[in-house]
Amino acid sequence: MNLAIASGKGGTGKTTLAVNLALCAGVPARYLDCDVEEPNGHLFLRPVFTERAPLVLPVPAVAPERCDGCGRCAEVCRFNALAAVKSGLVVFPELCHACGGCLLVCPRGALSEGRREIGVVESGFAGDLAFVHGRLRVGEALAPPLIRAVRKHATPDRLNILDAPPGTSCPVIASVRGCDFVLLVTEPTPFGLHDLTLAVETVRELRLPFAVIVNRAGIGDDRVRRYCSRERIPLLAEIPDDRRIAEAYSRGQPAVATVPGVSRVFRRILAAVKRSVRATPPLGVLR
Amino acid sequence: MRVAVTAQGPKLSDAVDTRFGRAAWFVIVDTETHAVEPVKNEQNLDAAQGAGIQAAQAVSQHGAQAVLTGHCGPKAFRVLSAAGIGVYLGAQGTVADTVEQFRARRLSKAVAADVEGHWA
């Protein structure tokens, strides 16, 4: 089963939830950090990495003696990574999404596959827990291919917990698309609610089963609760605003390992997700 | 000489658009014959990325030998340089004013981009 943890707003507790769920799964689990722009799960789980695989994308390389500047490659590139001018072709590899269209349309065979390393996938174990994360090269903006490379490690032999990046843009879509269930973590504040509604619209568009977790319950107001009730969204659990959880986080320690009794809420969340996934027929689309 | 002026409209009396890649129009003026050819930059206004690159390609295809604009970012500058098109910055007022300033050599030729990408 693939369970994604997403949020809309950043800093609501995605990693806290994902790390603690993975640690009290009770079954063989895998933690996949899909926030490749700033992965942080390893700070809490401290895995030993056994594999390191750079991810290289094919980008156009031009042979100037063959290019007559016809510009068909630039016409077909929706990401504007190529410009044809009198002196030949100007290529911007950092804008390329590696679709290969320019190579297909070039009538003179002037383009070949160059290489651009966008990041690295590292995998290993933290005790029994399988661990995978991606690290995007600094300055690189194209996260989705690296996220997909991280997700390739998700196999059905384990409960795969995917820690998604914040927001609702392409990297989030790449992280949650096709998952069996999405948990949206929010905090009970106006900001939390605002970004939660965006995240809800996103997962509804992707037709993914989802539920909401309120973190730091006790601060703010009850508008998130009222919103969930109005929209008929299951509010699976409220994690209390507990200084001990924050202190454990600040030391890089998972709450379940340091705060007595706190694992109950995470086990309850997992049980509710499993019940819900069993009750929902498989999607068959967008997988 | 054909110069491309970034403008908010298609006419000589329209105001200059100080952005290059996402300018509404390029008004191409022949400084000898005074012929005017307006080129709409519609498709680049909504481009997710690379507007400056495509704008530079477009003015090159329309035979401009110089670009008169307010500011120019690094990617557009690279394409314009490759196309052998001079970039003159600091344009203001109307298209006609700008062409006049260029003819009077009051606009200086840029040796590099003067803003980061996505500055506006």
Side-chain angles (χ1 to χ4, degrees):
Chain A
M1 178 171 86
N2 291 341
L3 168 62
I5 317 296
S7 73
K9 185 181 177 302
T12 56
K14 284 181 299 300
T15 300
T16 298
L17 182 63
V19 161
N20 287 293
L21 287 180
L23 287 175
C24 54
V27 291
R30 178 182 287 106
Y31 177 94
L32 299 114
D33 199 336
C34 295
D35 189 359
V36 300
E37 286 171 271
E38 25 196 12
N40 62 347
H42 62 286
L43 300 175
F44 302 92
L45 295 168
R46 304 177 197 210
V48 176
F49 290 112
T50 51
E51 269 183 70
R52 186 180 185 281
L55 184 67
V56 177
L57 293 186
V59 296
V62 60
E65 68 282 3
R66 288 198 183 180
C67 174
D68 64 357
C70 75
R72 278 193 218 158
C73 52
E75 253 168 61
V76 80
C77 180
R78 65 184 293 192
F79 298 104
N80 294 335
L82 301 150
V85 294
K86 275 163 290 186
S87 64
L89 199 61
V90 188
V91 184
F92 294 88
E94 68 272 30
L95 299 184
C96 173
H97 281 49
C99 73
C102 53
L103 272 71
L104 285 176
V105 299
C106 179
R108 298 172 61 88
L111 292 173
S112 60
E113 280 192 7
R115 291 161 58 84
R116 165 171 142 236
E117 184 173 326
I118 64 163
V120 62
V121 177
E122 293 174 320
S123 56
F125 280 89
D128 295 335
L129 180 70
F131 184 100
V132 189
H133 74 184
R135 285 197 291 118
L136 197 66
R137 197 172 54 77
V138 172
E140 178 60 61
L142 196 62
L146 187 58
I147 293 169
R148 288 192 286 270
V150 169
R151 288 190 60 177
K152 279 203 183 124
H153 287 256
T155 51
D157 62 326
R158 284 174 184 257
L159 164 66
N160 300 293
I161 295 179
L162 290 78
D163 192 358
T168 51
S169 62
C170 299
V172 177
I173 309 298
S175 304
V176 303
R177 166 170 274 160
C179 281
D180 299 290
F181 204 86
V182 183
L183 287 174
L184 297 177
V185 194
T186 189
E187 56 183 31
T189 62
F191 282 140
L193 174 60
H194 176 270
D195 289 2
L196 173 66
T197 60
L198 299 177
V200 166
E201 284 173 37
T202 307
V203 292
R204 280 186 173 156
E205 183 75 28
L206 293 166
R207 297 194 216 169
L208 297 169
F210 69 100
V212 167
I213 305 289
V214 168
N215 190 20
R216 289 186 211 114
I219 65 167
D221 54 35
D222 68 345
R223 277 186 279 182
V224 167
R225 203 181 293 179
R226 291 206 310 256
Y227 165 78
C228 289
S229 145
R230 197 166 61 238
E231 292 285 323
R232 298 175 193 283
I233 298 166
L235 203 170
L236 282 195
E238 296 185 290
I239 302 167
D241 182 39
D242 184 334
R243 189 182 167 91
R244 293 171 303 167
I245 298 177
E247 283 179 3
Y249 183 95
S250 70
R251 286 192 298 265
Q253 292 168 342
V256 293
T258 50
V259 184
V262 83
S263 65
R264 253 186 61 226
V265 66
F266 296 108
R267 284 203 301 268
R268 221 175 58 228
I269 293 169
L270 274 179
V273 168
K274 281 177 190 165
R275 272 198 308 278
S276 178
V277 169
R278 272 201 299 269
T280 316
L283 282 169
V285 289
L286 295 168
R287 274 183 179 255
Chain B
M1 184 179 195
R2 280 167 72 78
V3 299
V5 187
T6 54
Q8 294 175 23
K11 301 187 299 291
L12 284 172
S13 57
D14 281 314
V16 160
D17 194 330
T18 55
R19 304 168 304 171
F20 175 67
R22 291 178 201 273
W25 291 80
F26 300 112
V27 181
I28 298 179
V29 181
D30 190 310
T31 53
E32 279 92 50
T33 66
H34 299 280
V36 174
E37 181 196 351
V39 176
K40 205 168 184 185
N41 190 35
E42 200 168 29
Q43 69 190 71
N44 283 325
L45 284 180
D46 297 324
Q49 61 175 25
I53 295 167
Q54 293 312 304
Q57 182 180 265
V59 297
S60 165
Q61 282 164 354
H62 282 87
Q65 293 150 286
V67 160
L68 319 184
T69 187
H71 302 279
C72 183
K75 294 194 178 76
F77 196 88
R78 209 182 115 198
V79 176
L80 290 168
S81 300
I85 297 173
V87 181
Y88 295 81
L89 303 177
Q92 48 186 311
T94 65
V95 173
D97 294 341
T98 300
V99 173
E100 201 39 56
Q101 283 167 24
F102 175 75
R103 285 161 58 96
R105 297 175 188 278
R106 285 207 297 272
L107 295 177
S108 56
K109 192 170 175 180
V111 292
D114 73 323
V115 287
E116 292 294 309
H118 309 271
W119 60 278

